[in-house]
């Protein structure tokens, strides 16, 4: 049973470019979460999605950031017009439908903004 | 607002020297408390889920316990391969879905 997959593992962008991060949940999991880990800081929740629905985006910055989880294909976290402060590790997690169930994390995408 | 505080920030042990990591939390209705292990450059790896005070779970040299205010991760006779950052997280009943609030972790180093 494959785990949570994220790609790319490393992404380098120049200021002002767009970054697209992809996440495929574990088989049988219908809930996807995105977290950000800034250097020397803890994991911070960004957004929670189910297929074709954003359930909770209270942790997302108001501008430049968006997320989707289409009916087919991976979940996408999109960052427009990246700035140096966006440099971080972005982790995706997935869980089965029961809200008390454990979240399993992917290996992360490390975004570096030059 | 859910809050998680972990202590100590860093811990150095000799191989075989047992110790405990602490996770203090405040949450409106605990749905679950989670322990993860994170190695440098990797994603968090699930260790345990605890749901109610008094619950305990064990896996190899690790044992997690839960009270109404805190959780402990006990490490018995650690080995160098146990070196990692250990993360504690809570899911609160008032947060939509099951998003987690994480502590900043305890960085454990086990010297041979």
């Amino acid at each position: 049973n494959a785990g949570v997959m994220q790609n790319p593992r490393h992404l380098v962008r120049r200021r002002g470019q767009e970054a697209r991060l992809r996440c495929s949940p574990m088989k049988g999991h219908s809930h996807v979460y995105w977290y950000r880990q800034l250097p020397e800081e803890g994991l911070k929740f960004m957004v929670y999605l189910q297929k074709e629905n954003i359930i909770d985006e209270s942790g997302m910055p108001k501008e430049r950031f968006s997320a989707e989880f289409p009916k087919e294909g991976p979940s996408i976290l999109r960052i427009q017009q990246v700035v140096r402060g966006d440099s971080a590790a972005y982790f995706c997690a997935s869980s089965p439908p029961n809200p008390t169930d454990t979240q399993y994390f992917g290996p992360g995408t490390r975004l570096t903004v030059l | 607002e859910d809050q998680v505080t972990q202590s100590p920030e860093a811990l150095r042990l000799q191989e075989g020297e047992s110790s405990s990591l602490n996770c203090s939390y405040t949450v409106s209705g605990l749905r679950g408390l989670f322990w993860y292990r994170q190695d440098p450059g990797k994603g968090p790896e699930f260790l345990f889920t605890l749901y109610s005070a008094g619950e305990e779970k064990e896996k190899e040299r690790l044992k997690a316990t839960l009270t109404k205010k805190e959780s402990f991760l006990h490490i018995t006779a650690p080995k160098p391969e146990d070196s990692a950052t250990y993360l504690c997280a809570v899911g609160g009943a008032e947060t939509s879905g099951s998003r987690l609030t994480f502590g900043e972790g305890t960085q454990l180093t086990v010297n041979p």
Side-chain angles (χ1 to χ4, degrees), chain B residues 10-37:
Chain B
L11 180 63
R12 284 187 175 273
L13 299 174
Q14 288 299 122
E15 186 171 1
E17 180 186 1
S18 302
S19 188
S20 296
L21 313 182
N22 177 263
C23 170
S24 298
Y25 65 91
T26 55
V27 64
S28 297
L30 181 70
R31 287 186 289 101
L33 184 140
F34 305 84
W35 282 99
Y36 291 86
R37 167 192 171 130

Side-chain angles (χ1 to χ4, degrees), chain A residues 9 33 35 37 40-45 48 55-56 58 91 95 98-107 110, chain B residues 31-32 34 36 38-46 48-49 51 87 95-104:
Chain A
R9 295 292 309 278
Y33 309 81
Y35 293 82
Q37 190 171 39
E40 308 303 322
E41 292 190 18
L43 282 158
K44 304 293 184 188
F45 167 80
Y48 161 42
I55 308 301
D56 179 1
S58 59
F91 292 98
S95 72
N98 188 329
T100 60
D101 278 341
T102 298
Q103 295 179 24
Y104 295 88
F105 282 79
R110 277 143 190 89
Chain B
R31 287 186 289 101
F34 305 84
Y36 291 86
Q38 187 174 26
D39 292 296
K42 297 191 176 181
E45 175 189 345
F46 169 71
F48 302 108
T49 306
Y51 293 108
L87 303 173
T95 56
S96 61
S98 56
R99 64 181 169 98
L100 300 179
T101 300
F102 279 84
E104 298 206 357

Side-chain angles (χ1 to χ4, degrees), chain B residues 30-104:
Chain B
L30 181 70
R31 287 186 289 101
L33 184 140
F34 305 84
W35 282 99
Y36 291 86
R37 167 192 171 130
Q38 187 174 26
D39 292 296
K42 297 191 176 181
E45 175 189 345
F46 169 71
L47 294 174
F48 302 108
T49 306
L50 301 167
Y51 293 108
S52 57
E55 190 173 0
E56 299 182 352
K57 288 192 177 173
E58 286 188 69
K59 178 181 177 182
E60 296 181 353
R61 296 178 292 282
L62 300 177
K63 178 180 177 180
T65 62
L66 182 65
T67 72
K68 289 186 178 179
K69 294 184 178 181
E70 57 191 350
S71 177
F72 292 94
L73 185 65
H74 307 279
I75 304 177
T76 302
K79 298 182 178 182
E81 54 261 42
D82 295 322
S83 297
T85 297
Y86 290 84
L87 303 173
C88 173
V90 295
E94 293 191 1
T95 56
S96 61
S98 56
R99 64 181 169 98
L100 300 179
T101 300
F102 279 84
E104 298 206 357

